Amino acid sequence: AQSVTQPDIHITVSEGASLELRCNYSYGATPYLFWYVQSPGQGLQLLLKYFSGDTLVQGIKGFEAEFKRSQSSFNLRKPSVHWSDAAEYFCAVGAGNGANNLFFGTGTRLTVIP
Amino acid sequence: NAGVMQNPRHLVRRRGQEARLRCSPMKGHSHVYWYRQLPEEGLKFMVYLQKENIIDESGMPKERFSAEFPKEGPSILRIQQVVRGDSAAYFCASSRSGSPTDEQFFGPGTRLTVL
């Protein structure tokens, strides 16, 4: 069965520092992978997605993610964090087999300090 | 183009009452998904609907929960005889097609509190 693990519950970085949020998935075939961001009291916004092709995916707000099949990972990165990036980040994998619901990780809360 | 609309944003119910959560998908979207987010957890899929059809309800609790997406009007998630464990944020998402590669757009959620 599909599953997603986000090992870091909470990460704190200084503004301007680089960021990497980890995501590991369990899936039998080539997965559909997503990163979403959730600001407090808001819904989820899609940052980027991977279906096939180039394993380095560019998203909105300066984020990128790299799909590594050998490590079953899809880590999210940003070279320089802004205070407005403070939010909850969720990695998700598509259900597969023609189904299109998503399996989400438990999320990583990002705090940005000045 | 308005996004996915959910109402109410906050809903308080006493144990045993009914909760009705509404979701209006984005214009042009005919596929709706409901997810539940318990405190400190990620979103869990509940049900996937198209107009007048339930496509996948594998994530729905077997009792007290039901969903519909009528030909006209919003999708409704209904919880009968609510219990404290139903307290959560309920998110609706919509997509244009049923393709797994089609982006799901999320609403702001309804936060249900059961007293």
Side-chain angles (χ1 to χ4, degrees), chain A residues 38 41 43 46 51 100-102 105, chain B residues 9 33 35 91 98 101 104 107:
Chain A
Q38 184 183 32
L46 181 66
F51 300 143
N100 41 0
N101 55 287
L102 301 174
Chain B
R9 294 291 305 275
Y33 313 80
Y35 293 84
F91 290 93
T101 60
Q104 294 182 23

Side-chain angles (χ1 to χ4, degrees), chain A residues 32 34 36 38 41-44 46 49 51 90 98-102 104-106 109, chain B residues 9 33 35 37 40 42-43 45 48 56 91 98-101 103-104 106-108 111:
Chain A
Y32 297 150
F34 307 80
Y36 284 86
Q38 184 183 32
Q42 302 298 314
L44 279 71
L46 181 66
K49 58 188 176 183
F51 300 143
F90 292 96
N100 41 0
N101 55 287
L102 301 174
F104 284 85
T106 51
R109 182 168 298 165
Chain B
R9 294 291 305 275
Y33 313 80
Y35 293 84
Q37 184 180 31
E40 307 300 323
L43 280 72
F45 167 74
Y48 162 41
D56 180 356
F91 290 93
S99 169
T101 60
E103 180 178 348
Q104 294 182 23
F106 283 79
R111 279 151 183 84

Side-chain angles (χ1 to χ4, degrees), chain B residues 11-17 82-84 87 112-115:
Chain B
L11 182 61
V12 179
R13 286 287 178 265
R14 297 190 180 280
R15 281 178 297 171
Q17 291 184 318
V82 296
V83 300
R84 289 227 172 102
S87 295
L112 172 65
T113 301
V114 179
L115 302 177

Side-chain angles (χ1 to χ4, degrees), chain B residues 47-102:
Chain B
V47 62
Y48 162 41
L49 311 101
Q50 281 182 268
K51 286 284 188 180
E52 300 184 276
N53 287 304
I54 295 175
I55 307 301
D56 180 356
E57 56 182 347
S58 58
M60 286 279 269
K62 293 290 182 275
E63 298 177 350
R64 301 188 297 108
F65 285 72
S66 62
E68 62 177 11
F69 189 15
K71 186 176 181 180
E72 301 291 337
S75 175
I76 306 286
L77 179 68
R78 182 182 178 204
I79 311 173
Q80 295 179 289
Q81 300 176 322
V82 296
V83 300
R84 289 227 172 102
D86 296 333
S87 295
Y90 292 82
F91 290 93
C92 167
S94 73
S95 65
R96 185 176 301 277
S97 76
S99 169
T101 60
D102 199 14

